[in-house]
Amino acid sequence: MTSRPSRTDPIASTARPDRVLRGLVAAFLVISAAAFGCYELLPAGQMASWAVLGIAALAAVVVGVMRHKPDPALPWVLLGVSLAIEIIADLVYQSLGGSIGGDGPFPSAADAIYVAVYPVMIYALLGFVRRDPPEYSRGTLLDVLIVAVGFGALSWGVFSVPVTPLPQLSVLAMTILFAYLLGDPLVFALTLQLPLSGRLRSWPVWLLLLGALGSLYSDTYFALTELHPDWPSAPGEIIGYAAFYITWGLAALLPAMAKVVQPPAGRPWALVAPRTWIALLCCAALISPVLLLVNAYRSTPRDTQVLVGCCITIFLLVFARLVQAMRAWQRTSLRREAQAYLHTLIADAQDSIIVASPRGEVRFSSHSAQRLFGARLGRGPVSGLFTGGDRDRVAHCFDELDDDPHAAPRWPTAVHVRSADERIVRAEARWSDLREDPAVRGIALTLRDVTEERRLEDELRKQALTDPLTGLMNRQALQLLMLRDQNAAAEDPGAGGLLMIDLDDFKEVNDTLGHPIGDEVLVAFAGRILEHVRAEDAVARLGGDEFAVLMAHRSDPSMLEAVAQRLGEAFDEPLETSAGPLRVAASLGLVAFGPAAYPETPDEAQAQEADRDTDPDALMRAADLAMYAAKAEGKHRWRRYHAGLLDQAVRRSELRAALDETLAQGALAVWYQPIVHLDTRQVFGFEALVRWPHPTLGLLGPDVFIPLAEETGQILELGRQVLRIAAKQAVAWSALRPVPGCSINVNVSVRQLREEGFVEAVRDVVAEVGIEPRHLVLEVTETALLDHDDVEVRERLQHLRDLGVAIALDDFGTGYASLISLHDMPIDIIKVDKSFTSRLTTSDRMRRLVRGLLAIGEAMGIHTMAEGVESWEQHEQLLALGTRAGQGFLYGRPLTPADASTVWVAHRPLPVEDPRTSPDA
Ligand code: C2E
Ligand code: CA
Ligand code: CA
């Protein structure tokens, strides 16, 4: 990875100091120049001028630190301290009679202070590079020291610095001179470290270096002239010292001073090519030993101690450098290995890995990415790998990054990419912003191909949401859809309807034609529904023979009702099955939802209140209720939901529970309605009519609970109980009037007839109670018999007749049995319905019909009786027509067992008051 060129040029940005700063810099330069000028021109004020020069530099450092707040501040603060010490030393030196850059007492107290500056300065300069990467900074420092010591040894000889104390100099003076000769080069070397470590584009660095150079020059010259009094005094020695103050002060004033304490952005600056550098180091290290060797051949060896000291120092430095280099090498090789390992891992990864530059160009790709995208990878930006919307989204994210390096774009995660073979691949994308990571410096993208996974998921979801038989949605799918609509409705309350469709008597189809045909019917039925709804309506099979149609976006309730109507009619057309055309009717329940029609009646307003509820469960319940209402009203129709239905449903479930209890207690009541011979009007039997003494609602008639009992199956137990009670009663009455005994009519519902073991149950009751079978008449309704052209029912009826029990066809005339089909009915008695009886006196046609019926019956050995006889005229009419028996309010209403007993025992013609003899007649 190459380092990015830093966008902000330290000089460019820092060379534009604000106005105050510019003023400060100008003031500093003017003051410094003025002070220097005064020092040169006004010998009287030299001490003060020089002090001003030093203090100006010190002030510049203080201001610089406070203004630019370097972090860490310590190196700069210490530089300031070293300046302060220097100023004090200068003052002391001058007060002792010395002049800067000129003659003065040596050694003096001032020298001690001057020497004290070095440790502070060295510590300060080391502080500047403390935070640098150690592998660079330490190596650079050691290199510089090696060179310094090496060439220092040479210069020692060149400048012929004596080692043994000179006669004119004390040991202390010599030591101080040596301190100058070693200290200044060291400070210079450490300052040189700053640009070498990579701090190249920084004015303060170069200013510091310039100052250190000035100081080096002047101090060295000073020391040498002390050692060699015959040497001329240094040219411009004063300039070196002045430069030191001015450059360091100015360096601290510039804003870039804060950057000097920070690790440099780039690598260390290679002054020369690495090989040249090594050669230079080698030469530097060899200088001292070579000079030692030269010494060996000299008659008077010079500087031996110094050269040995240099050799040892260089040896130690080179050794330290070696250790440092080894450590650095270890570190880099470890990192290289790790990188290579990672690279292999990435390259071989299953997932496709792509590294993009912050601008979005592909910079690296793993093998699997290359396999996936092929040549596409080479072309253009990363976004080009994605399809349509994803491409734009990715491109947009990179744009965001480009505009603002700190942006955190929302990268798309579930994406579609276009593979080399132009396939659309569904992938899971992970994006890692590794721009700050020096090993990556980009955006890493990992793509996992999830096409197959998603396909399977879709498949499974489809499986879970589809009805396998019809291919329609199933219940869960419909509920999900409704939930989605409900959520959407929060913003946009749409209107629509839910239609619940239940086949009528589908069980029969299954039972009689078998399940395969049943399945065919369901499939054909589903097709029929689909033909009559719009494409956007959702059709579901909820299970069994129950279907639903969700009609969204139909705000007009009359439209919904039209659909219900149309569908109901569509089911009248027979369905094609392999067993031939079959007519299967259905009951439909409709519920509308959303802000539908405007209510016209309070009832409707209430209904709409419920309709507005779009909760899927509530809607389904409502549609169900409506559908049950349609069933209860005789099936093969549609009903719309209204709030009343809910009450009904609640009432029904309460009734059902109560009936259960009554049945368990055997607390049903049976009332008896007399059946008379029309000619004598004397009772020969009764019809047993069930009554329910309800704990809170009082005595309930069968109309209230028989349909419910039929629906719930309670009718079976109810029927058994009534049969036993009635039969027992008949036996009791027969005992009172043995000839010809009391016959008893008991109503039997179709459901009882269809129950397996019904014949046996009747036989058991007959045996248990001891009733003569011929006294027992079972009434079955005509509709029940004919509607279900049921072989089993017929056989059962035949078996009952074989027992000696009589079968009566109840409510004759209300169904659509043709007279012709009567002859193969296993029946003994026809009970002509009330509706006929009531019209006998007004309609000739009805009279002819009953007469014809009587004739046919007579021919087939079937007796005919009339029910619902309410008037004397009807009685006479029936008598004239030749009807033998009758039942109706004229002869007696249903009576309690006690009242019926009284009637039976009295044995008088009914009505007791003969209308012809009564005063009212
Ligand atoms: P249904 O079998 O036709 O019974 C005769 C019904 O007609 C009785 O009503 C009776 O009160 C009424 N009725 C009798 N004479 C006249 C008359 O002159 N004029 C008028 N308008 N009505 C007359 P109820 O007792 O309410 O019974 C209603 C229906 O309940 C019965 O009709 C029968 O189908 C059913 N039912 C009654 N008891 C039982 C039972 O124990 N088991 C079964 N499965 N059904 C029963
Ligand atoms: Ca009846
Ligand atoms: Ca009847």
Side-chain angles (χ1 to χ4, degrees):
M1 294 282 126
T2 56
S3 69
R4 282 189 306 165
S6 115
R7 278 167 182 258
T8 48
D9 185 334
I11 291 182
S13 67
T14 55
R16 259 183 269 117
D18 57 64
R19 209 178 265 177
V20 180
L21 191 66
R22 217 175 297 163
L24 283 171
V25 170
F28 171 74
L29 289 176
V30 168
I31 291 170
S32 299
F36 185 62
C38 285
Y39 183 87
E40 287 286 285
L41 300 174
L42 301 172
Q46 273 192 335
M47 195 163 150
S49 316
W50 196 254
V52 169
L53 190 69
I55 288 167
L58 178 61
V61 172
V62 171
V63 170
V65 168
M66 281 166 52
R67 262 193 96 78
H68 308 312
K69 301 193 172 52
D71 175 33
L74 188 66
W76 281 105
V77 171
L78 288 177
L79 276 194
V81 171
S82 67
L83 281 181
I85 301 172
E86 190 92 24
I87 294 164
I88 294 167
D90 282 347
L91 282 173
V92 173
Y93 180 65
Q94 284 170 304
S95 63
L96 292 175
S99 71
I100 306 295
D103 294 327
F106 180 81
S108 72
D111 291 298
I113 306 176
Y114 280 130
V115 171
V117 169
Y118 291 125
V120 182
M121 235 180 231
I122 289 167
Y123 191 72
L125 288 168
L126 285 175
F128 280 109
V129 295
R130 179 151 303 135
R131 287 191 181 176
D132 289 15
E135 62 262 43
Y136 297 153
S137 64
R138 282 194 204 130
T140 318
L141 177 63
L142 288 167
D143 288 356
V144 169
L145 289 178
I146 290 167
V147 173
V149 175
F151 287 94
L154 188 66
S155 55
W156 200 278
V158 168
F159 296 125
S160 55
V161 178
V163 181
T164 45
L166 296 171
Q168 78 270 27
L169 290 173
S170 63
V171 175
L172 177 70
M174 285 295 285
T175 312
I176 288 171
L177 287 179
F178 281 178
Y180 289 147
L181 288 174
L182 290 174
D184 272 282
L186 192 60
V187 167
F188 180 74
L190 289 176
T191 317
L192 189 61
Q193 253 225 114
L194 297 178
L196 287 179
S197 64
R199 290 168 173 82
L200 289 170
R201 296 157 165 261
S202 171
W203 281 107
V205 165
W206 296 107
L207 287 169
L208 287 175
L209 192 65
L210 193 65
L213 187 67
S215 178
L216 170 70
Y217 165 77
S218 298
D219 273 350
T220 310
Y221 218 94
F222 166 78
L224 289 177
T225 49
E226 288 297 328
L227 289 169
H228 305 286
D230 49 326
W231 288 16
S233 67
E237 206 182 313
I238 177 79
I239 297 180
Y241 290 127
F244 168 71
Y245 279 132
I246 297 173
T247 52
W248 282 35
L250 183 61
L253 264 187
L254 296 179
M257 63 86 82
K259 285 238 166 100
V260 182
V261 289
Q262 298 292 332
R267 287 171 163 243
W269 179 35
L271 263 177
V272 286
R275 279 190 193 184
T276 321
W277 184 243
I278 289 172
L280 189 73
L281 278 179
C282 193
C283 289
L286 281 176
I287 289 173
S288 318
V290 168
L291 285 178
L292 266 181
L293 195 68
V294 171
N295 257 357
Y297 294 99
R298 269 201 178 146
S299 48
T300 49
R302 281 173 51 187
D303 315 328
T304 310
Q305 299 93 319
V306 174
L307 292 175
V308 170
C310 285
C311 277
I312 293 173
T313 312
I314 285 186
F315 172 80
L316 291 175
L317 286 173
V318 169
F319 186 79
R321 182 73 172 91
L322 191 69
V323 170
Q324 186 273 332
M326 268 172 63
R327 285 213 185 121
W329 177 82
Q330 262 177 346
R331 262 195 298 269
T332 36
S333 70
L334 263 179
R335 197 167 50 213
R336 282 233 182 84
E337 261 174 52
Q339 266 177 357
Y341 176 68
L342 213 70
H343 195 273
T344 325
L345 261 185
I346 290 174
D348 288 344
Q350 226 26 43
D351 297 351
S352 302
I353 300 173
I354 292 169
V355 175
S357 73
R359 293 171 164 249
E361 295 110 11
V362 177
R363 214 190 257 157
F364 164 85
S365 54
S366 64
H367 292 324
S368 55
Q370 287 153 14
R371 270 198 305 276
L372 178 62
F373 294 111
R376 303 181 64 91
L377 262 182
R379 275 181 263 140
V382 173
S383 56
L385 303 173
F386 297 84
T387 61
D390 289 336
R391 179 173 42 225
D392 299 343
R393 243 164 283 151
V394 171
H396 180 77
C397 286
F398 277 111
D399 283 350
E400 259 181 66
L401 276 190
D402 207 36
D403 292 346
D404 173 12
H406 300 293
R410 288 171 53 115
W411 302 97
T413 50
V415 295
H416 291 77
V417 295
R418 198 184 293 278
S419 71
D421 51 356
E422 295 295 322
R423 241 176 347 113
I424 305 286
V425 174
R426 294 166 80 169
E428 213 175 74
R430 257 172 300 142
W431 303 82
S432 314
D433 186 348
L434 300 175
R435 285 176 299 163
E436 294 299 318
D437 187 330
V440 182
R441 295 222 185 270
I443 306 292
L445 160 64
T446 318
L447 287 170
R448 197 162 71 82
D449 184 344
V450 290
T451 312
E452 191 56 19
E453 256 173 69
R454 293 279 179 278
R455 200 188 59 72
L456 260 173
E457 250 173 52
D458 289 351
E459 189 71 20
L460 279 175
R461 189 174 309 135
K462 213 176 127 195
Q463 284 270 318
L465 297 178
T466 312
D467 168 48
L469 178 66
T470 59
L472 297 176
M473 292 182 190
N474 63 12
R475 182 183 287 273
Q476 286 89 322
L478 187 73
Q479 274 167 336
L480 278 178
L481 192 68
M482 290 171 77
L483 266 179
R484 205 194 60 193
D485 285 359
Q486 186 193 14
N487 292 339
E491 292 132 37
D492 163 34
L498 178 66
L499 193 58
M500 202 64 79
I501 308 172
D502 194 278
L503 273 65
D504 292 336
D505 308 308
F506 177 66
K507 193 176 173 298
E508 252 86 319
V509 176
N510 259 345
D511 288 353
T512 54
L513 300 172
H515 283 275
I517 301 294
D519 284 355
E520 275 183 45
V521 167
L522 289 174
V523 173
F525 192 82
R528 182 67 50 87
I529 297 177
L530 286 173
E531 280 168 27
H532 289 87
V533 298
R534 296 181 312 181
E536 58 265 42
D537 294 335
V539 181
R541 180 176 167 225
L542 304 181
D545 58 347
E546 209 180 337
F547 293 82
V549 182
L550 178 66
M551 298 169 284
H553 311 299
R554 290 207 214 213
S555 47
D556 183 1
S558 64
M559 258 170 71
L560 294 171
E561 292 175 5
V563 175
Q565 179 70 31
R566 202 166 61 225
L567 272 173
E569 283 163 11
F571 301 143
D572 288 344
E573 287 293 306
L575 298 169
E576 285 307 322
T577 71
S578 52
L582 265 182
R583 234 198 72 197
V584 181
S587 302
L588 296 85
L590 173 68
V591 60
F593 56 83
Y598 298 104
E600 282 165 9
T601 65
D603 261 4
E604 254 177 68
Q606 202 184 4
Q608 276 190 22
E609 207 48 56
D611 285 1
R612 215 161 281 137
D613 193 352
T614 50
D615 171 50
D617 288 339
L619 276 180
M620 287 226 188
R621 262 200 310 277
D624 256 344
L625 280 175
M627 190 267 288
Y628 281 124
K631 288 243 186 236
E633 284 175 37
K635 305 178 179 172
H636 193 193
R637 66 197 67 208
W638 69 271
R639 281 293 167 260
R640 194 188 154 153
Y641 170 80
H642 56 88
L645 289 178
L646 192 64
D647 298 344
Q648 273 177 30
V650 172
R651 254 205 330 267
R652 279 157 62 89
S653 70
E654 283 170 2
L655 269 186
R656 180 193 171 148
L659 183 57
D660 261 341
E661 214 173 299
T662 306
L663 287 173
Q665 294 165 354
L668 279 177
V670 179
W671 286 22
Y672 300 91
Q673 187 176 29
I675 301 173
V676 300
H677 289 296
L678 283 188
D679 45 1
T680 61
R681 309 202 318 277
Q682 284 196 327
V683 184
F684 67 90
F686 293 90
E687 179 176 355
L689 295 163
V690 68
R691 296 290 181 268
W692 177 15
H694 189 279
T696 52
L697 301 174
L699 195 67
L700 297 179
D703 292 345
V704 182
F705 59 92
I706 291 294
L708 173 72
E710 283 185 328
E711 207 174 281
T712 60
Q714 290 167 312
I715 193 73
L716 302 176
E717 178 56 25
L718 184 148
R720 272 194 289 275
Q721 293 191 11
V722 172
L723 178 63
R724 181 180 293 110
I725 296 169
K728 262 191 185 159
Q729 188 62 70
V731 171
W733 283 327
S734 294
L736 294 174
R737 251 171 62 194
V739 181
C742 179
S743 87
I744 188 82
N745 287 28
V746 177
N747 292 288
V748 171
S749 92
V750 199
R751 187 132 185 203
Q752 283 173 281
L753 274 178
R754 281 207 212 105
E755 192 199 13
E756 196 130 355
F758 177 66
V759 178
E760 289 71 24
V762 174
R763 194 173 43 212
D764 291 350
V765 170
V766 168
E768 177 201 329
V769 174
I771 188 172
E772 253 186 76
R774 66 188 172 88
H775 284 161
L776 183 59
V777 182
L778 296 181
E779 293 191 6
V780 292
T781 58
E782 176 197 30
T783 36
L785 260 184
L786 295 174
D787 224 13
H788 305 279
D789 205 10
D790 196 324
V791 195
E792 266 180 53
V793 169
R794 263 156 198 266
E795 278 177 6
R796 279 198 193 126
L797 289 177
Q798 194 51 58
H799 286 148
L800 288 169
R801 289 178 84 198
D802 294 346
L803 284 179
V805 173
I807 307 294
L809 187 56
D810 202 356
D811 301 348
F812 182 86
T814 55
Y816 43 90
S818 64
L819 292 176
I820 311 305
S821 67
L822 272 179
H823 76 95
D824 46 44
M825 292 269 202
I827 50 173
D828 307 281
I829 300 159
I830 290 174
K831 287 184 83 170
V832 177
D833 190 66
K834 312 189 246 304
S835 52
F836 280 73
T837 312
S838 62
R839 280 180 289 170
L840 265 181
T841 47
T842 52
S843 160
D844 271 348
R845 208 175 66 92
M846 208 48 81
R847 268 198 297 278
R848 281 201 299 278
L849 214 143
V850 174
R851 190 182 292 124
L853 188 64
L854 283 168
I856 294 169
E858 222 64 53
M860 295 192 295
I862 301 174
H863 299 291
T864 305
M865 64 168 283
E867 54 175 0
V869 184
E870 291 180 346
S871 68
W872 191 253
E873 288 76 30
Q874 289 166 350
H875 168 80
E876 287 190 319
Q877 200 59 260
L878 287 163
L879 203 58
L881 284 170
T883 314
R884 298 269 191 82
Q887 176 187 354
F889 292 169
L890 177 67
Y891 317 109
R893 294 188 171 251
L895 305 169
T896 61
D899 290 347
S901 289
T902 312
V903 169
W904 177 254
V905 172
H907 195 48
R908 290 168 61 183
L910 293 172
V912 177
E913 295 291 322
D914 189 332
R916 291 166 299 180
T917 56
S918 77
D920 308 345

